[in-house]
Amino acid sequence: MDIVSRHSERYSLKNQDAMIHYINQVQSSWTAGKNFPDDISEGYLRQLASAWLPEENDLPSLPVLNALDDPAHTGADPPAEFDARKKWTNCPSLLHIYDQGNCGSCWAVSVASVITDRTCIATNGAFKDYISAWNLVCCCTDEEKCSSSCGGGYSAKAFEFHVKQGIVTGGEFGTNQGCMPYQIKYCSHHMGDKGKYPNCKSYNETVVPVCVSECPNKGYKIPMNKDKHFGVYHQVTGKKLGGHAVRVLGYGTENGESYWLVANSWNPEWGDQGLFKIRSGTNDCNSEENFQTSEPKV
């Protein structure tokens, strides 16, 4: 806390180079670098990190998973390292890095991507479609006390929506995949005008999310009410979700430091090709307070 208070003004977003130098000077377990332009605002970052923080009594009162009660639990110690991408190579979605675009929808994108991965895994690779994040953005809204669409939302409520309402299929922007593809363009959140995609700040168009009863993708042949996928929710201990919702792919140890392997939703130009590692076992940034998922019904 002393370091934060003493250096919070000196090492700020407006002085990223000094912040990066300081971080790399005081520790050596990872190397800090610049992921955002110098003119980035805290307000814009808050929009990207838009998972709301519910109180414990606001979380859905649904079953809690105890790994020791799992019939698959053999009592053996888990492997020292695990990477879902290597375990389930027949599920290409595990390799995919999403882009939420200029929309505060990390709560929806992370949930839809987790459900996509788990449905593929549960069907042994037979299901390779993408669950629609746009369906959540449009329909898991104020009426369900779930979200304000691109203004942020509760990941726990999105998983509950999966259980109770079902979610249709839908790929990313421009893919024309599934019933309800994502409608926000890729954009560069963090590289200004130097990235592969246009600067997010250059987008002036506004896409208004609308919950519909028919597939917006008219070329998709399955009716919307037949395309819904449901699940069985379980929450794994904790009180809060954290400010940003992401997708955990695995874990491991690097240079003696244990970590979680995490996929972000800011496209592959961010971080390590869209991925990052965060120290495990220490609840850094409250990252270990609340792991959530839902089991697909297959």
Side-chain angles (χ1 to χ4, degrees), residues 228-262:
K228 290 190 175 184
H229 298 263
F230 293 82
V232 180
Y233 178 94
H234 56 76
Q235 175 192 345
V236 184
T237 193
K239 296 182 179 180
K240 294 183 180 179
L241 292 171
H244 187 41
V246 291
R247 164 171 146 247
V248 176
L249 294 175
Y251 61 85
T253 303
E254 186 173 288
N255 299 324
E257 192 90 77
S258 60
Y259 64 82
W260 296 110
L261 177 64
V262 185

Side-chain angles (χ1 to χ4, degrees), residues 120-256:
C120 180
I121 291 167
T123 60
N124 197 28
F127 180 90
K128 286 186 168 65
D129 294 325
Y130 285 83
I131 296 297
S132 174
W134 193 243
N135 189 183
L136 287 170
V137 171
C138 293
C139 301
C140 189
T141 53
D142 285 344
E143 291 184 7
E144 292 80 22
K145 298 181 180 179
C146 177
S147 81
S148 61
S149 298
C150 281
Y154 295 113
S155 298
K157 289 289 187 178
F159 278 121
E160 186 178 30
F161 188 90
H162 175 223
V163 173
K164 295 182 177 180
Q165 305 292 333
I167 307 174
V168 300
T169 57
E172 292 209 270
F173 178 85
T175 62
N176 208 35
Q177 294 175 349
C179 171
M180 207 167 180
Y182 201 67
Q183 294 300 303
I184 307 291
K185 295 179 181 178
Y186 271 54
C187 60
S188 180
H189 309 274
H190 35 78
M191 298 184 68
D193 296 320
K194 299 179 181 179
K196 175 181 177 181
Y197 308 105
N199 189 334
C200 288
K201 293 182 179 180
S202 67
Y203 285 146
N204 296 319
E205 60 188 88
T206 300
V207 179
V208 179
V210 178
C211 191
V212 295
S213 57
E214 295 183 357
C215 292
N217 181 7
K218 300 305 180 184
Y220 191 65
K221 302 303 182 184
I222 301 175
M224 193 169 196
N225 64 337
K226 301 291 186 181
D227 193 52
K228 290 190 175 184
H229 298 263
F230 293 82
V232 180
Y233 178 94
H234 56 76
Q235 175 192 345
V236 184
T237 193
K239 296 182 179 180
K240 294 183 180 179
L241 292 171
H244 187 41
V246 291
R247 164 171 146 247
V248 176
L249 294 175
Y251 61 85
T253 303
E254 186 173 288
N255 299 324

Side-chain angles (χ1 to χ4, degrees), residues 13-14 16-17 34 36-40:
L13 287 172
K14 296 180 180 179
Q16 291 186 59
D17 291 335
K34 183 175 287 188
F36 295 97
D38 290 328
D39 62 349
I40 197 74

Side-chain angles (χ1 to χ4, degrees), residues 24-182:
N24 291 332
Q25 187 179 48
V26 299
Q27 59 83 45
S28 59
S29 64
W30 62 285
T31 303
K34 183 175 287 188
N35 275 308
F36 295 97
D38 290 328
D39 62 349
I40 197 74
S41 69
E42 290 187 9
Y44 180 72
L45 291 179
R46 281 195 293 269
Q47 178 187 350
L48 288 180
S50 55
W52 294 346
L53 307 177
E55 297 297 329
E56 186 174 16
N57 57 4
D58 288 334
L59 292 172
S61 56
L62 294 168
V64 176
L65 174 68
N66 185 339
L68 297 178
D69 295 333
D70 190 334
H73 180 69
T74 63
D77 291 335
E81 294 188 356
F82 179 78
D83 188 334
R85 299 171 300 174
K86 298 176 181 178
K87 172 70 173 179
W88 293 289
T89 56
N90 57 349
C91 291
S93 64
L94 287 162
L95 300 173
H96 186 66
I97 300 297
Y98 296 79
D99 190 347
Q100 65 193 72
N102 195 14
C103 172
S105 59
C106 68
W107 62 274
V109 173
S110 61
V111 167
S113 59
V114 166
I115 296 170
T116 296
D117 295 341
R118 294 182 69 88
T119 306
C120 180
I121 291 167
T123 60
N124 197 28
F127 180 90
K128 286 186 168 65
D129 294 325
Y130 285 83
I131 296 297
S132 174
W134 193 243
N135 189 183
L136 287 170
V137 171
C138 293
C139 301
C140 189
T141 53
D142 285 344
E143 291 184 7
E144 292 80 22
K145 298 181 180 179
C146 177
S147 81
S148 61
S149 298
C150 281
Y154 295 113
S155 298
K157 289 289 187 178
F159 278 121
E160 186 178 30
F161 188 90
H162 175 223
V163 173
K164 295 182 177 180
Q165 305 292 333
I167 307 174
V168 300
T169 57
E172 292 209 270
F173 178 85
T175 62
N176 208 35
Q177 294 175 349
C179 171
M180 207 167 180
Y182 201 67

